Every structure is written in structure tokens, then in C-alpha cells.
């Protein structure tokens, strides 16, 4: 697809990049990533690691710069943590214009995140939102702890603390926080709620495991 796009038809070119099943496309991209990630982890030399990772980015709809100048056509919103190990395009083996990414420490549904989501739904007709929590999350660790935080960091961890259940360990807290973020996205926005009701939008939550590279969907 990539080498057949015409620079004078960006919308047409980008629309061909939209998968029929966005959730399946994300999971298939993650499966490609996880396989390369594990293979690279097992490689003994830097050159072997590079070879393993060079298998990524071969299955995407790679668009040209001149096409992207004309617009974007993302097919999924990813709400992820700001953690440097959880880069969405990387873990889903996705290309520019595929994912509309919203990030903050703890992947919470903060107001600006919901507003960004409203834009993605209203102006870009994005049909899927995936909230991605992750193993070893520092923001969730902070929410579980009692160390003093700055006023702004206290504000940031407040919704994470609200998602916790008694006795949660870090892994359980990450799951509860991801599920709460997914629920908050619709609770905070009539536009998001309407898109869900009309069947134009699906919201799911998930957890990314840094060790294995795998994203696991959570039950709704
Ligand atoms: Zn995190």
C-alpha cells in the first residue's frame, strides 16, 4: 500500500490504512513486537538484537511524508503511561498516523485526556480506545505508597488511589487503575458516551508486561 499512495489524495491514501478490525490489528501488532522483543532479549550480541528488532515495521501501512502533510487517519486511541518503556507505536508495531496517543504518568483519564479523546472521536472518527496500564508502574507505586508528593503529583495520583481496592499489590492496582481509567473516559464526557451508545466507539483496557512485551486485554 505504501508505495502506491498518491501525494495528491491524502484522505484516500490514509483511509486504505484503516484496518477492518482495529482491536485485532493492535493485538497482532503487539504479537509481532513481543516475538521480536523476546528474540532480541535472548540474543547474545548487539548485531543479533538489531536483526531481531529489524523485523518490526514491515507489516504497517507506511505512508509518505507528503501524504501525512495532507492529514491523519488514526484508527485507535491509546491512553498510556508516560513511562519511557511503554511507547505505544513501539509495542503495537504501528506507524505514524495509526495511533492517536494520549499519555500521562499513570494513564489516568485526566480532563485534557478526555478532551483529546473527544477531538479524536469527533474530528477523526476513531473507533477504538485502548487504555494501557503496565507492569512496574511508578505512578501506581506512588499511589500505593505514603511518601510525600508535590501538590501536582498528589493531584495526579488521586484518581489512581480512588481506583485501588483494599489489599491491592502493584499488579492488582495496575489492573484496577486501567479499568477505572476506561470507565472514566465515558463517565466524564457526553460525547464519548454518545459514541459508545451509537456503536461508533469501543473502549477496552489492558496491561502491558515489560518483561514479555505482551499486552493482555482486561475484562470489561
Ligand atoms: Zn507507569
Amino acid at each position: 500500500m505504501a508505495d502506491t499512495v498518491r501525494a495528491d489524495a491524502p484522505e484516500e491514501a490514509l483511509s486504505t490504512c484503516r484496518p477492518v478490525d482495529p482491536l485485532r490489528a493492535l493485538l497482532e501488532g503487539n504479537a509481532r513486537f513481543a516475538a521480536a522483543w523476546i528474540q532480541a532479549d535472548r540474543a547474545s550480541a548487539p548485531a543479533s538484537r538489531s536483526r531481531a528488532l529489524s523485523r518490526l515495521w514491515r507489516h504497517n501501512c507506511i505512508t509518505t511524508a507528503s501524504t501525512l502533510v495532507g492529514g491523519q487517519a488514526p484508527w485507535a486511541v491509546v491512553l498510556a503511561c508516560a513511562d519511557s518503556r511503554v511507547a505505544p507505536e513501539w509495542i503495537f508495531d504501528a506507524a505514524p498516523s495509526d495511533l492517536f496517543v494520549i499519555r500521562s504518568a499513570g494513564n489516568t483519564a485526566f480532563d485534557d485526556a478526555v478532551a483529546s479523546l473527544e477531538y479524536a472521536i469527533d474530528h477523526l472518527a476513531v473507533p477504538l480506545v485502548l487504555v494501557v496500564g503496565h507492569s512496574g508502574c511508578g505512578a501506581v507505586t506512588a499511589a500505593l505508597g505514603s511518601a510525600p508528593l508535590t501538590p501536582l503529583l498528589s493531584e495526579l495520583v488521586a484518581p489512581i488511589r480512588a481506583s485501588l481496592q483494599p489489599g491491592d499489590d502493584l499488579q492488582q492496582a495496575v489492573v484496577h487503575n486501567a479499568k477505572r481509567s476506561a470507565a472514566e473516559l465515558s463517565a466524564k464526557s457526553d460525547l464519548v458516551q454518545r459514541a459508545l451508545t451509537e456503536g461508533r466507539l469501543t473502549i477496552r483496557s489492558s496491561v502491558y508486561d515489560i518483561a514479555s512485551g505482551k499486552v493482555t486485554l482486561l475484562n470489561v
Side-chain angles (χ1 to χ4, degrees):
M1 282 183 279
D3 45 9
T4 59
V5 298
R6 300 197 314 271
D8 60 346
E11 286 180 13
E12 181 188 327
L14 286 168
S15 68
T16 64
C17 296
R18 285 199 166 211
V20 175
D21 185 340
L23 183 58
R24 184 175 172 183
L26 280 181
L27 296 177
E28 287 179 350
N30 175 248
R32 292 193 300 272
F33 167 76
W37 186 239
I38 291 301
Q39 196 171 359
D41 190 51
R42 290 175 183 154
S44 54
S48 313
R49 283 198 284 278
S50 295
R51 247 193 324 275
L53 295 173
S54 70
R55 291 179 186 163
L56 298 173
W57 238 43
R58 291 184 182 180
H59 301 266
N60 318 80
C61 183
I62 307 293
T63 48
T64 60
S66 50
T67 299
L68 293 177
V69 165
Q72 60 171 321
W75 42 266
V77 170
V78 175
L79 173 58
C81 184
D83 191 298
S84 58
R85 301 163 293 181
V86 192
E89 284 87 353
W90 173 241
I91 66 174
F92 292 111
D93 191 21
S97 183
D98 284 347
L99 307 181
F100 189 94
V101 176
I102 305 166
R103 298 180 73 172
S104 74
N107 48 270
T108 56
F110 58 106
D111 289 351
D112 288 355
V114 180
S116 301
L117 173 58
E118 288 182 340
Y119 175 82
I121 294 168
D122 213 27
H123 293 265
L124 305 171
V126 177
L128 172 69
V129 180
L130 186 65
V131 177
V132 183
H134 69 96
S135 61
C137 183
V140 176
T141 301
L144 282 168
S146 54
L149 301 169
T150 68
L152 287 175
L153 278 173
S154 296
E155 205 174 299
L156 185 139
V157 302
I160 305 176
R161 284 185 170 145
S163 76
L164 301 179
Q165 294 181 12
D168 270 357
D169 61 17
L170 177 56
Q171 196 176 354
Q172 292 164 326
V174 164
V175 168
H176 291 145
N177 181 50
K179 286 187 175 184
R180 179 184 160 93
S181 289
E184 286 281 288
L185 290 173
S186 57
K188 282 186 167 182
S189 167
D190 289 344
L191 187 148
V192 175
Q193 188 58 56
R194 198 162 54 247
L196 286 168
T197 304
E198 293 172 358
R200 293 183 281 114
L201 181 72
T202 300
I203 300 179
R204 296 293 303 267
S205 56
S206 67
V207 172
Y208 170 65
D209 177 55
I210 292 169
S212 67
K214 288 181 182 168
V215 170
T216 303
L217 285 180
L218 300 174
N219 294 326
V220 180

